[in-house]
Amino acid sequence: MLTWIVIGLFVLLLVYIRLAPSDPQRWHRQAAVKGVETRQLKGGYVWRKEIAGDGAGQMEAMEKVILATPRTQKLAGSIEEGQVTYVTRSLAFGFPDYTTVSVIDAGANKHLEVYGRLRFGRSDFGVNAKRIKGWIAAAQL
């Protein structure tokens, strides 16, 4: 009987992970780092590069690549507002990872930021860094 209870709880956990709503107010934000930094974070990854122009072309290139990624959809924002957040779910269990692409006005310069992070757990085992590096390479940024 205990075995069935444990199995039932595990299934309920998986259903919750798969169906838990994504709150745009929580996830649609920039990383809390300064300057032009690329760094591995606990449970995520941030890539930032100085850009010329308004960044719309770079964001369009990123969006094309990101939305071609399996199990990825737009959560909030738009290229016109300079910030878009996407959700990518893992294949096996549907764990959501959130990635926000932003143009940051840094005074005389503008930065393009790609900020990926997990929702559940403490470590993403480098998954966000690998995904973001692949997207950047594919978008030729």
Side-chain angles (χ1 to χ4, degrees), residues 36-67:
V36 181
E37 289 190 52
T38 297
R39 87 161 78 147
Q40 184 72 43
L41 305 171
K42 189 173 185 178
Y45 182 76
V46 64
W47 175 91
R48 200 180 278 180
K49 176 184 175 183
E50 192 171 314
I51 58 171
D54 64 0
Q58 292 93 332
M59 286 190 70
E60 287 171 2
M62 283 297 292
E63 181 163 271
K64 183 178 177 183
V65 170
I66 290 170
L67 291 177

Side-chain angles (χ1 to χ4, degrees), residues 55-127:
Q58 292 93 332
M59 286 190 70
E60 287 171 2
M62 283 297 292
E63 181 163 271
K64 183 178 177 183
V65 170
I66 290 170
L67 291 177
T69 303
R71 300 171 312 281
T72 300
Q73 62 186 18
K74 190 183 292 191
L75 175 66
S78 68
I79 292 171
E80 292 77 24
E81 74 181 57
Q83 183 166 299
V84 185
T85 299
Y86 307 91
V87 182
T88 304
R89 292 190 173 268
S90 65
L91 178 61
F93 297 111
F95 285 102
D97 286 334
Y98 298 89
T99 305
T100 302
V101 180
S102 307
V103 173
I104 300 169
D105 191 353
N109 304 321
K110 289 192 185 253
H111 299 149
L112 181 66
E113 177 184 274
V114 184
Y115 174 39
R117 63 262 187 223
L118 56 75
R119 176 170 180 178
F120 297 106
R122 293 178 186 244
S123 173
D124 68 352
F125 303 102
V127 170

Side-chain angles (χ1 to χ4, degrees), residues 8-42:
L9 290 174
F10 181 70
V11 168
L12 285 174
L13 176 65
L14 293 179
V15 168
Y16 173 75
I17 289 169
R18 177 72 68 174
L19 300 177
S22 296
D23 180 7
Q25 290 186 340
R26 178 177 179 191
W27 299 105
H28 187 58
R29 60 185 173 85
Q30 299 168 353
V33 297
K34 302 289 183 206
V36 181
E37 289 190 52
T38 297
R39 87 161 78 147
Q40 184 72 43
L41 305 171
K42 189 173 185 178

